[in-house]
Amino acid sequence: MSRLIIAAALAAFAGLVAIADGSAATGGYKAYADALVAKPPDGVKFRPDLETYLDGLASSTRRGAGYKRLAPNERLKRAARAQALDMALGQYVGHDSRNGYRFSQRFEAYADPAAVGYHGENAARDRRRGEVDAARARRLFGQWLESSGHRRNLLNPAYAYVATGAVQVGNALYAVQIFWQYEAPPATATTTSSTGEASFY
């Protein structure tokens, strides 16, 4: 059954890509991401409950290591969800969108790197059988803790904010966490600055 759900979702995604690409041609990544998130294909769903749970795991892990907690923030929620959805529909894990937007481009669509300071991203998936629940989310989060690069990113003392996107397709869970240092006005179409160190795993 899960294979049928995934197949149906991918078929629906083929049509969605055409719509999103058309928007992206005039509006860049933000238009692409907004179109993608606005109407997920049948059989694909966002998991706000697990997003909140993963936010909590990030904060408790940092607190246990002696660092400040992260404040969940909506600024980059759409970017995190769009990348998690792209990964789920493409059945991959990475920091480029399905149509080639890099992390720097994705981030700049929603925030000015110069204004928000240090920023980064972790991405992962868990496709093992079983319920897609808090235990599954904790297991996925464990991948980040077991990877030196992901763990270093998570525990960067500069970070103050997090936005998490979690997507379920059948029995698979895909998740993205975006971190940044300062809160600042939203990015605009004229934003061209690229200062503010980025890291992603």
Side-chain angles (χ1 to χ4, degrees):
M1 178 60 72
S2 62
R3 290 183 179 179
L4 292 176
I5 293 173
I6 293 172
L10 292 174
F13 181 59
L16 182 60
V17 165
I19 296 172
D21 283 347
S23 298
T26 57
Y29 178 74
K30 190 173 188 301
Y32 170 80
D34 288 349
L36 194 64
V37 171
K39 191 177 181 181
D42 292 340
V44 179
K45 59 182 178 181
F46 296 115
R47 292 295 304 269
D49 56 327
L50 299 185
E51 291 169 351
T52 299
Y53 184 66
L54 288 167
D55 285 343
L57 288 178
S59 281
S60 62
T61 299
R62 287 172 59 89
R63 188 66 175 171
Y67 300 112
K68 61 188 175 187
R69 294 178 182 274
L70 297 172
N73 192 295
E74 293 294 313
R75 170 195 290 278
L76 285 145
K77 171 71 76 175
R78 190 170 294 265
R81 283 184 166 181
Q83 184 61 14
L85 181 53
D86 252 344
M87 295 191 317
L89 294 171
Q91 301 183 62
Y92 72 101
V93 176
H95 301 282
D96 291 352
S97 71
R98 284 270 296 177
N99 62 349
Y101 285 103
R102 300 183 303 277
F103 172 66
S104 60
Q105 295 171 301
R106 293 172 36 238
F107 191 90
E108 288 173 14
Y110 289 90
D112 179 353
V116 302
Y118 288 94
H119 51 283
E121 177 177 73
N122 283 345
R125 70 180 173 190
D126 187 302
R127 297 189 293 178
R128 282 178 279 185
R129 293 180 181 275
E131 293 295 320
V132 180
D133 54 12
R136 174 74 69 91
R138 178 177 287 277
R139 190 167 68 192
L140 180 149
F141 189 81
Q143 295 179 34
W144 291 332
L145 296 182
E146 293 167 5
S147 161
S148 59
H150 290 90
R151 185 180 181 88
R152 184 168 58 250
N153 206 21
L154 173 68
L155 296 179
N156 187 326
Y159 295 150
Y161 300 96
V162 62
T164 301
V167 173
Q168 178 183 350
V169 183
N171 289 326
L173 177 65
Y174 291 75
V176 169
Q177 287 194 318
I178 300 177
F179 314 100
W180 65 102
Q181 185 175 12
Y182 302 121
E183 185 59 347
T188 66
T190 57
T191 296
T192 57
S193 174
S194 60
T195 58
E197 185 174 332
S199 55
F200 44 93
Y201 298 90

